[in-house]
Structures are given as structure tokens and as C-alpha cells.
Amino acid sequence: MNEKIATLADPLEPEQIEAYLRENPDFFEQHQDLLAEITLPHDSGSAVSLVERQVAILRERNIDMRHRLSKLLDNARDNDKLFDKSKRLVLSLIEGQDMGDIIDALHYSFDKDFNIHFTSVILFGNTEKIPSSQARIVSIAEAREHVGPLLKNSRAVCGTLGAKEMEFIFGEHANEIGSVATVPLIHGSVFGLLSIGNRDPQYYRSSMGTLFLSYIAEVLNRLLPKYLPR
């Protein structure tokens, strides 16, 4: 058995390949994909024939299409994983029994499932009236003083922030963060700020899509206000 395996592993001689193909003239009909891999120059001297050039172009296009298909499949797999993670997070947020459960579920998922380096949830109001949680409570006046421009619209923004803004949002971790994505929490009026940070300065770029963060913010916009005093 071992001798047979060793024999099959030995490279074939050209004569053996020729003999096999003569005995099996329909081989390439059964394995047409191999034709795209074979280089067969046309006998036209130093000139390149039109047929040969056309075959080369088709082969290049075939390789390019394979790469594109592979990339599409990779993107599809990544999107499936992102959907599953997002679904688990949203279900955990919905199942939270109080504000502490919701904020804990958010931090846990961002940390464990999404590998987000730093997460900050800031809520605006009176610390004595808002239930205790991992969220930081500040007055709306203090928030406007430090991050006022970020609260003027409902859109998420990505990139870098000033030192004053970074320190307000991430506290003692501000110097560790290279780039951020942040979005206001709004229910009628702005009531908080959701922010995430990464050590890589290029990770969250100004041109980067913010669909995911905006989506999670929309969920929080519907869950958190009932725990905040009017």
C-alpha cells in the first residue's frame, strides 16, 4: 500500500502524460476548466497571433472574475457574522430588565463580540435621579460646554477629536485612543452620547460607514428614555 502511494506521488514523465492523453482524447472535454490554465503559443514566429492574444485576455479576465467572486463570498461571510452579532446584541438590549442591564449588555457585546477597544455611554441629567450603571451621568450644560458640536445633529461622525473632547468622552483612556466614532442619543431632544474608540488612528476614518453605530443608537433611543426622569 505504501509503495503504491509513493509511486503515485512521483512526478509523471512527459511521455506518460502524452500516452495518457492519447488513450483518453476526451480528457479536456471532461475537465474544461483546465483549458484556462494551459499556455499554448501559436506557431507564428516572433509575432503574437490574434488568437493567442484573445486567449490571454480571456484567461486574465477569468482570473480577475475568480478573485472578485472570492472577495464577494468573503464579504458575504463577514456580513453574516456581523448580522448574527448585531442580532444577539439587540436581543440582549431588549431583554434588559433595567437601565443597568441594557448598559451592561452593550459594553459586554462591544467588548467580546465586536472587539471594540473603548466604549463610552454618557447620559445627560441629574446623577441623583438617574439609576446607577456603567453609563456616566453629566448635566446637559456640561456636555454642551465640552462636546457641543457633536450634539447639534443626529448623525454619527468618525475620525479624530480634540484633546478636550477626547478627555470628556473617554476620561483616563483618552491618550490611548487614536480614532473614534460617536453618535448622539436622541428622543425628542438629545439625552446622551454613544462613543467607541480604537487605538489605531486610521481605524475610524471620516469616510468610514457609520451604519452599525447609528443602528445601535436607534435601539438605545427607544429603550433608555423610559429610565430617565422627564
Side-chain angles (χ1 to χ4, degrees), residues 4 19 65 143 160 173 179 201 203 206:
K4 183 177 181 181
M65 291 302 296
T160 58
H173 299 294
S179 58
Y203 194 84
S206 58

Side-chain angles (χ1 to χ4, degrees), residues 159-210:
T160 58
L161 300 176
K164 179 181 176 181
E165 294 170 317
M166 292 289 286
E167 185 175 355
F168 178 77
I169 295 173
F170 294 103
E172 61 184 10
H173 299 294
N175 292 332
E176 303 175 53
I177 299 171
S179 58
V180 303
T182 183
V183 61
L185 299 175
I186 300 175
H187 183 72
S189 59
V190 62
F191 68 88
L193 188 69
L194 171 63
S195 307
I196 53 179
N198 192 283
R199 295 183 179 89
D200 182 355
Q202 301 300 319
Y203 194 84
Y204 297 120
R205 301 179 302 276
S206 58
S207 60
M208 183 177 181
T210 56

